[in-house]
Amino acid sequence: MKKVIATFLAGVMLTSSLAGCGGNNSSSVSSGSDPSGKQATKLSYWYWADNTEQSDLMQSIVKQYNETNDKNILVTAEEYPWDSGGFTDSIFTAIMGGGGPDLSTFKLQAGKNFAANHLLADMSSYVEAWQDKSQINDGIWQMMKASTGDEKLSVLPWTLEALYVYYRPSYFQKAGIEKAPTTFDEFLDAIKKTTMDTNGDGKTDVYGLGLRGAGGGHEHLGSFLYAYGANWDDLTTPQAVEAYNAYLNIFKSGYAPDSAPNAAYAETVDGFKSGLTAMIIHHIGSSAIWSETFGDDVAAFPVPAGKGGQWTCTGDTCLTVYEQCENKEAAFDFYQYMTTGEGGTTWFKSTGKGLGTENVVATSEYKDNKFQTVAAESLKHAGVLPPTDTLTEFINSTWANTNQQALLGQISAEDALKIMQKSLHAE
């Protein structure tokens, strides 16, 4: 509660500037008239965009919805920067101050805080009555429920980007690997074998994996944990220690570049693109880069299962309807448009992001992209880190520093995991 109050007080000045964005102090939904003179239901929708192209795309999709829906619903879409999570803080303070939107893009990691303050609408009844619900697999719906801690469907899936492994077939051929790994042991073996001296000068010039030891690398660790029978709930078990040691040994054995302890997204991408690494863990969002760079000499496979299980992390951009929204039926109609409707199709065609629903799978953009089937397969065992109150602190403050020390041998795997456990679960 102290964190919530602190967040609110820190945002009072921001709230003053945002409170009017919704139209009035109680809700941003109001009745008005469209150009034909008919009364319309108005919804305010806040979103972030990764770039200018996506912002323009979102505006055009919303415009199309306003012009084509037969329920006389008018959506006003307003863009706010993601700002390393500041987007959700802005919405929180705006709603607490009496303003804010009716619905917005959202991150699962914010679910518990918003639910604890009763800001999210329970959309369970709308989802249960939705004829397209089954197009989204049950695991995804469970992921949404778990994000709020109250088993309500207050967060709705929109796009998920499951991580999987990109690799260079030519490197596999040089290493004598005939097929993509189907078990975790085969994956580790492939990392070892594709660490090569290709020019015979006695020095490694290709490393098996672009290990992401710094920002964002925690997502990759999860695959190791589950493969060895551990999970995020308790990072101090013998299985978790074994898994973490397998992860650390990739670097300690020389199968990842020397830069791995400090490597975040940009460094791992540069390594794979330059040919320094044979494999990289990422999602569908980079597929166009690899196809353009390597042509046919790039392929992919899901992060394989180990004896203990299978898991991969997924990035998420969800949609949520706020309790203050006065017309939740209208808001859910817009959500349908953005997923199994034309809006979802248009978004996927331009970004490659979606949920693998029927409208997406039917597009040529899906059929012609060989990585989409790997992405869809990976979603079957995808998840997110537990949405604890301290998750953001773990990601932004604890992970990179602690993992770097473990990679460099400055602290043991056991001690590093104890630090992570305390940070992630506030123990």
Side-chain angles (χ1 to χ4, degrees):
M1 180 58 70
K2 290 182 180 179
K3 285 190 175 183
V4 171
I5 293 172
T7 301
F8 172 70
L9 291 177
V12 167
M13 295 303 294
L14 176 62
T15 304
S16 299
S17 64
L18 297 179
C21 293
N24 58 62
N25 286 336
S26 60
S27 173
S28 58
V29 178
S30 61
S31 296
S33 299
D34 66 13
S36 68
K38 298 178 181 178
Q39 290 297 309
T41 298
K42 293 183 179 180
L43 297 173
S44 62
Y45 167 57
W46 290 11
Y47 69 96
W48 75 81
D50 293 339
N51 50 54
T52 301
E53 291 75 17
Q54 287 188 12
S55 179
D56 293 342
L57 176 63
M58 179 65 77
Q59 289 290 334
S60 68
I61 289 174
V62 171
K63 182 176 183 292
Q64 185 70 13
Y65 174 77
N66 289 339
E67 293 174 348
T68 60
N69 81 82
D70 59 2
K71 298 178 176 62
N72 207 12
I73 301 169
L74 295 177
V75 176
T76 300
E78 300 180 45
E79 181 185 353
Y80 292 88
W82 170 244
D83 192 25
S84 300
F87 175 89
T88 49
D89 291 340
S90 297
I91 291 179
F92 182 87
T93 53
I95 295 178
M96 293 293 281
D102 299 299
L103 70 163
S104 76
T105 47
F106 198 76
K107 283 284 186 184
L108 289 168
Q109 66 190 55
K112 280 193 174 181
N113 185 34
F114 277 69
N117 286 275
H118 310 290
L119 304 185
L120 304 179
D122 182 3
M123 303 299 287
S124 301
S125 60
Y126 296 98
V127 173
E128 291 303 320
W130 186 28
Q131 63 180 5
D132 291 337
K133 176 194 173 187
S134 61
Q135 292 188 33
I136 301 170
N137 73 59
D138 290 342
I140 293 175
W141 290 117
Q142 288 302 318
M143 195 189 308
M144 299 299 117
K145 286 183 179 180
S147 70
T148 55
D150 57 12
E151 287 300 301
K152 295 179 181 178
L153 269 175
S154 300
V155 182
L156 305 172
W158 180 43
T159 67
L160 295 173
E161 297 168 290
L163 298 179
Y164 51 85
V165 186
Y166 289 98
Y167 72 98
R168 299 284 302 281
S170 62
Y171 285 9
F172 271 40
Q173 185 177 9
K174 287 180 183 178
I177 303 173
E178 297 181 355
K179 61 182 181 65
T182 56
T183 69
F184 206 79
D185 284 343
E186 289 179 357
F187 175 44
L188 294 178
D189 188 55
I191 293 173
K192 176 181 178 180
K193 289 181 177 177
T194 53
T195 300
M196 301 178 288
D197 170 16
T198 61
N199 58 16
D201 67 354
K203 298 179 181 179
T204 299
D205 50 40
V206 174
Y207 294 89
L209 180 67
L211 193 69
R212 188 168 173 174
H218 63 283
E219 297 177 343
H220 304 177
L221 176 61
S223 295
F224 286 76
L225 293 174
Y226 281 76
Y228 283 81
N231 58 54
W232 288 110
D233 294 335
D234 188 350
L235 299 176
T236 64
T237 65
Q239 293 88 344
V241 174
E242 184 182 9
Y244 193 37
N245 273 318
Y247 168 91
L248 295 174
N249 284 337
I250 293 173
F251 175 72
K252 292 180 179 181
S253 299
Y255 306 149
D258 293 342
S259 59
N262 297 306
Y265 171 71
E267 290 78 13
T268 54
V269 165
D270 288 347
F272 192 63
K273 194 172 185 179
S274 68
L276 180 65
T277 56
M279 287 178 274
I280 185 176
I281 299 175
H282 203 241
H283 52 63
I284 194 68
S286 62
S287 63
I289 298 174
W290 310 134
S291 294
E292 180 180 345
T293 303
F294 302 120
D296 292 334
D297 189 23
V298 62
F301 57 91
V303 178
K307 294 179 180 179
Q310 186 175 19
W311 187 89
T312 192
C313 194
T314 181
D316 70 280
T317 302
C318 304
L319 295 177
T320 194
V321 180
Y322 297 99
E323 182 59 36
Q324 66 180 13
C325 176
E326 293 179 355
N327 196 322
K328 297 176 180 61
E329 182 177 357
F332 193 74
D333 186 82
F334 178 67
Y335 169 72
Q336 293 176 76
Y337 180 81
M338 293 295 289
T339 48
T340 58
E342 190 60 34
T345 305
T346 301
W347 184 261
F348 172 79
K349 285 183 175 181
S350 296
T351 66
K353 300 178 181 181
L355 293 172
T357 49
E358 292 176 4
N359 57 314
V360 163
V361 173
T363 64
S364 60
E365 287 80 1
Y366 183 94
K367 296 175 181 177
D368 295 341
N369 187 336
K370 61 183 179 182
F371 301 112
Q372 288 290 351
T373 54
V374 179
E377 182 65 26
S378 298
L379 272 179
K380 295 178 182 178
H381 53 269
V384 294
L385 273 69
T388 62
D389 293 338
T390 53
L391 175 60
T392 300
E393 180 181 345
F394 168 75
I395 294 173
N396 294 338
S397 302
T398 304
W399 158 256
N401 181 56
T402 305
N403 189 57
Q404 286 165 353
Q405 292 181 63
L407 286 168
L408 296 172
Q410 297 170 354
I411 57 175
S412 67
E414 291 87 349
D415 288 342
L417 289 172
K418 288 177 183 177
I419 294 171
M420 293 183 197
Q421 176 74 13
K422 183 177 181 180
S423 174
L424 181 58
H425 295 284
E427 295 178 352

